């Protein structure tokens, strides 16, 4: 949408602005910031940066941890290359950000907090949908630390999208329309290994669908961001079905712009650490039937507000 186009004032015209990204300056909160204890190499103007000079296998000293906290909030996804660490060391690093969640018993690896995410010919990957981890929980995770263990020769990249930048890019009248609006998050209707596993967890826990604000405020930065995703957000509360479907589709399309995204190509020894409160991510399933093994640690979060 350019300056000559009228703003959206009618739900029937949402699809018009969803086709174009308004031209504007795109710049991360952390652009230009200097760090004393490590080097930051941004991978896009808005989201995602490689951290060089930190060994995750060792305890992180106080000064480095303080700077890492700042970089984490600025860039939303931090990447570390050439790391050699165990699941215990991975969990020890993640524990700097809070309490860890236990992995599902069927996926537990070295310790209870480490989950094995393994795909091959007999267990194809199913993470290829934009999602925020476990948004169907009352208190979804703060974030996660994912480590590459065994990779296919090619493929298996992961993408993250900046949901705060996506919110900032909305037309003002759409932002006003979203004020106070809530969405229902529940387990996906689609089939696949993730859906089957999540349904089994949900059945045992008796966890019902939950409502979260469509626009959540980050508890540390105060930034607003879209809190909907294609995997777990079923509908918007209080709207007719057709209007809910159209508006939700518009918001999901807003998250699809490459300008809001970063794509990470995994290598041996790569680690990614993302803020689940202000990102959605997508695991590219283009490596079948090759083997891909990752290990993940999840950090407990709080209820979106």
């Amino acid at each position: 949408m350019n300056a000559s186009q009228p703003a959206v004032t009618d739900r029937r015209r949402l699809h018009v602005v969803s086709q174009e990204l308004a031209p504007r300056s795109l710049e991360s909160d952390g652009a230009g910031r200097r760090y004393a204890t490590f080097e930051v190499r941004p991978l896009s103007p808005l989201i995602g940066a490689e951290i060089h000079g930190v060994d995750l296998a060792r305890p992180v000293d106080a000064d480095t941890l303080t700077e890492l906290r700042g970089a984490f909030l600025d860039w939303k996804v931090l990447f570390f290359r050439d790391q050699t660490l165990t699941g215990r060391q991975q969990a020890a690093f993640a524990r700097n950000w809070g309490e860890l969640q236990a992995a599902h018993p069927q996926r537990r690896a070295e310790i209870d907090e480490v989950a094995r995410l393994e795909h091959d010919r007999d267990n194809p990957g199913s993470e290829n949908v934009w999602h925020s981890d476990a948004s169907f929980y009352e208190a979804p995770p703060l974030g996660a630390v994912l480590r590459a263990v065994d990779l296919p020769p090619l493929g298996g990249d992961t993408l993250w999208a900046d949901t705060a930048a996506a919110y900032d890019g909305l037309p003002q009248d759409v932002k006003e329309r979203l004020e106070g609006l809530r969405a229902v998050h529940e387990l996906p209707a689609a089939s696949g290994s993730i859906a089957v596993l999540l349904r089994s967890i949900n059945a045992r826990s008796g966890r019902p669908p939950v409502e979260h604000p469509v626009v959540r405020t980050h508890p540390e930065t105060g930034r607003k961001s879209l809190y909907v995703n294609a995997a777990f957000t079923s509908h918007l509360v209080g709207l007719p079905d057709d209007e809910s479907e159209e508006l939700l589709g518009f918001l999901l399309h807003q998250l699809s712009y490459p300008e809001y995204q970063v794509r990470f190509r995994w290598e041996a020894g790569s680690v990614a650490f993302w803020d689940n409160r202000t990102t959605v991510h997508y695991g590219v399933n283009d490596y079948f039937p090759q083997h891909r093994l990752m290990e993940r640690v999840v950090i407990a979060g709080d209820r979106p507000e």
Side-chain angles (χ1 to χ4, degrees):
M1 186 176 70
N2 56 45
S4 65
Q5 291 177 300
V8 175
T9 56
D10 189 303
R11 71 177 180 86
R12 292 169 297 182
R13 297 178 53 218
L14 283 173
H15 68 283
V16 176
V17 295
S18 74
Q19 303 306 310
E20 297 185 45
L21 181 68
R24 63 189 178 281
S25 174
L26 300 176
E27 185 175 277
S28 167
D29 296 336
R33 182 175 300 187
R34 296 182 179 276
Y35 297 87
T37 59
F38 49 76
E39 180 187 359
V40 174
R41 299 178 191 172
L43 298 188
S44 83
L46 280 179
I47 176 175
E50 289 188 358
I51 304 298
H52 293 266
V54 177
D55 182 357
L56 300 185
R58 299 176 177 273
V60 181
D61 64 75
D63 290 342
T64 301
L65 183 59
T66 296
E67 291 203 319
L68 281 175
R69 290 183 185 278
F72 180 64
L73 296 177
D74 286 343
W75 293 102
K76 304 166 186 70
V77 192
L78 301 182
F79 304 110
F80 304 82
R81 298 284 193 187
D82 303 319
Q83 300 289 321
T84 303
L85 67 162
T86 65
R88 291 181 183 278
Q89 292 166 331
Q90 179 181 353
F93 170 73
R95 202 170 280 114
N96 288 304
W97 273 262
E99 181 181 351
L100 306 185
Q101 294 182 351
H104 187 272
Q106 294 178 6
R107 288 190 166 184
R108 285 179 187 166
E110 182 178 342
I111 57 176
D112 288 351
E113 294 86 358
V114 179
R116 290 170 60 90
L117 308 180
E118 188 168 16
H119 298 301
D120 53 25
R121 180 182 297 276
D122 298 324
N123 182 30
S126 57
E127 296 91 349
N128 54 324
V129 59
W130 286 105
H131 62 285
S132 175
D133 284 338
S135 67
F136 53 87
Y137 284 13
E138 286 194 12
L142 176 153
V145 180
L146 186 64
R147 175 171 60 100
V149 179
D150 186 39
L151 297 171
L154 190 62
D157 296 354
T158 306
L159 294 87
W160 284 263
D162 183 340
T163 59
Y167 171 80
D168 291 344
L170 291 172
Q172 182 59 34
D173 57 342
V174 176
K175 290 180 181 178
E176 293 171 2
R177 186 175 170 191
L178 298 180
E179 289 184 9
L181 199 60
R182 299 180 69 80
V184 172
H185 295 248
E186 53 189 329
L187 293 176
S191 61
S193 59
I194 284 185
V196 171
L197 176 61
L198 292 176
R199 286 195 192 99
S200 70
I201 297 171
N202 205 57
R204 286 194 299 275
S205 67
R207 183 182 296 110
V210 299
E211 291 184 12
H212 294 311
V214 172
V215 179
R216 74 176 293 181
T217 301
H218 197 286
E220 296 182 74
T221 67
R223 284 193 69 185
K224 293 182 177 181
S225 64
L226 290 177
Y227 197 64
V228 294
N229 66 87
F232 305 129
T233 308
S234 61
H235 63 279
L236 306 181
V237 178
L239 298 183
D241 290 348
D242 60 341
E243 187 173 347
S244 168
E245 182 178 359
E246 183 177 24
L247 181 54
L248 179 57
F250 171 79
L251 298 178
L252 296 177
H253 184 91
Q254 177 74 357
L255 295 170
S256 72
Y257 287 116
E259 285 86 349
Y260 301 137
Q261 300 170 13
V262 64
R263 181 169 183 146
F264 186 64
R265 177 160 293 177
W266 295 92
E267 299 173 350
S270 294
V271 175
F273 172 35
W274 67 91
D275 191 334
N276 195 54
R277 302 164 295 185
T278 187
T279 64
V280 290
H281 58 283
Y282 183 110
V284 180
N285 185 21
D286 59 353
Y287 53 91
F288 179 84
Q290 302 295 325
H291 183 254
R292 182 178 187 262
L293 173 60
M294 315 291 281
E295 291 193 351
R296 184 185 65 193
V297 175
V298 175
I299 305 160
D302 52 16
R303 187 164 190 142
E305 294 183 357

